[in-house]
Amino acid sequence: MDLAVLREDMVDGLEAAPKNVLTDETVSVAMRDVSRHAFLDDERTAYADREHEALGTRVLSPSTAARLLQALALEDDETVLIVGVGVGYTAAVAAEIVGETNVHAVDISRPLVVEARRNLAAAGYDGVLVDCRDGANGLPEYAPFDRILLEAAVVDPPRALREQLAEGGRLVFPRGTQRQRLAVISAAGELEQLDPITLEPLLVEGEQSGAVERNRMAREDRERAQRRAESRRGWEQDWIEWDETLGAQSRRPRTR
């Protein structure tokens, strides 16, 4: 079994597939260079265009990975943040295009972070930084990023990710819940919706594999409350602030 031949056949099949699955030459060349079998246990099926399961997560099929990477429109030397690194394959293809030290990735699952680091090192991309943290918070220490890929579905991308997008940058994500479309949002807030896609929803703390509590709405509720608080204007807000000031003064100890 010649794995290099299987890899070539995989890319050839994506290029010949209907609906323009793979038309970007840059992504095509990168996928021909990345050893996908380094990221999956079964070498025999690594290059089949299907999903896999690993450590409680769904490993994207090659065609889905190609669609996400094409939407990013990567160019050499751009900085990239991948939220939801999984087993690391998408990060490796991105590293092949922009350079491994320009790729940063996060995942909320510690076992996946360990696995992604091991896989990336085995495939020759140990310069990719992979950190364990809530993807909704991004990676502010290394921001801004020219490109951000969110490999999980949301109705709207988390505010922190949008704030970490560089001027002229692109944030790619699956938009929606049950019915999703691949979407691209610019740093200026312009939204473009592409073809249908289906990915798992973005997890928050407590939802990762092995956790007890599952409450997907926690982050969304917190962000909505913050937006409501920031949007309050007019005499109502002035009255609330005045009332709070009076309350604080009434509790202040008197001096003689």
Side-chain angles (χ1 to χ4, degrees):
M1 181 174 55
D2 190 332
L3 296 176
V5 172
L6 291 179
R7 187 163 61 250
E8 291 289 333
D9 290 345
M10 177 192 76
V11 178
D12 289 343
L14 296 179
E15 291 178 334
K19 298 183 180 179
N20 298 323
V21 170
L22 180 54
T23 58
D24 188 307
E25 182 66 20
T26 300
V27 176
S28 176
V29 170
M31 292 184 73
R32 292 181 190 276
D33 289 337
V34 176
S35 300
R36 183 172 167 84
H37 61 271
F39 299 86
L40 297 165
D41 292 333
D42 191 350
E43 291 183 346
R44 296 171 300 174
T45 61
Y47 295 101
D49 189 24
R50 69 173 181 83
E51 297 171 350
H52 294 75
E53 293 292 329
L55 298 177
T57 192
R58 182 175 68 171
V59 181
L60 301 181
S61 65
S63 57
T64 300
R67 293 173 59 196
L68 294 174
L69 289 161
Q70 285 187 134
L72 276 178
L74 295 171
E75 297 183 5
D76 188 27
D77 285 336
E78 288 183 328
T79 54
V80 181
L81 172 64
I82 297 178
V83 177
V85 70
V87 297
Y89 175 71
T90 310
V93 180
E96 188 66 36
I97 299 172
V98 303
E100 57 186 278
T101 57
N102 287 327
V103 178
H104 310 73
V106 297
D107 204 291
I108 199 169
S109 171
R110 187 168 296 280
L112 279 176
V113 168
V114 174
E115 179 71 4
R117 288 173 177 170
R118 183 183 69 84
N119 294 341
L120 286 162
Y125 302 97
D126 54 348
V128 175
L129 184 147
V130 183
D131 199 12
C132 182
R133 60 178 69 194
D134 187 340
N137 298 325
L139 196 62
E141 300 92 323
Y142 293 88
F145 300 98
D146 299 307
R147 300 289 187 267
I148 297 178
L149 172 59
L150 177 53
E151 287 195 25
V154 292
V155 175
D156 291 304
R159 176 183 297 187
L161 297 184
R162 294 189 59 177
E163 290 175 346
Q164 292 171 33
L165 194 60
E167 183 177 354
R170 293 166 65 88
L171 194 164
V172 173
F173 66 103
R175 188 169 191 259
T177 52
Q178 294 181 340
R179 296 182 178 180
Q180 303 168 16
R181 296 187 75 88
L182 185 59
V184 181
I185 192 167
S186 69
E190 299 174 348
L191 178 68
E192 176 186 4
Q193 297 198 96
L194 307 175
D195 296 332
I197 195 170
T198 302
L199 269 70
E200 296 296 324
L202 181 65
L203 300 180
V204 297
E205 189 61 48
E207 293 185 329
Q208 62 268 47
S209 178
V212 177
E213 181 184 358
R214 296 185 65 84
N215 182 6
R216 185 164 295 133
M217 297 305 295
R219 186 189 67 259
E220 287 85 349
D221 288 345
R222 185 170 64 249
E223 290 190 349
R224 289 194 185 100
Q226 184 177 356
R227 286 197 296 269
R228 285 198 299 270
E230 292 176 352
S231 65
R232 288 184 300 190
R233 296 290 185 272
W235 66 268
E236 299 96 336
Q237 180 64 25
D238 293 338
W239 182 266
I240 291 171
E241 293 174 351
W242 175 251
D243 192 44
E244 290 175 348
T245 301
L246 291 178
Q249 290 177 346
S250 66
R251 292 190 297 272
R252 187 178 302 162
R254 297 182 179 178
T255 55
R256 295 182 179 179

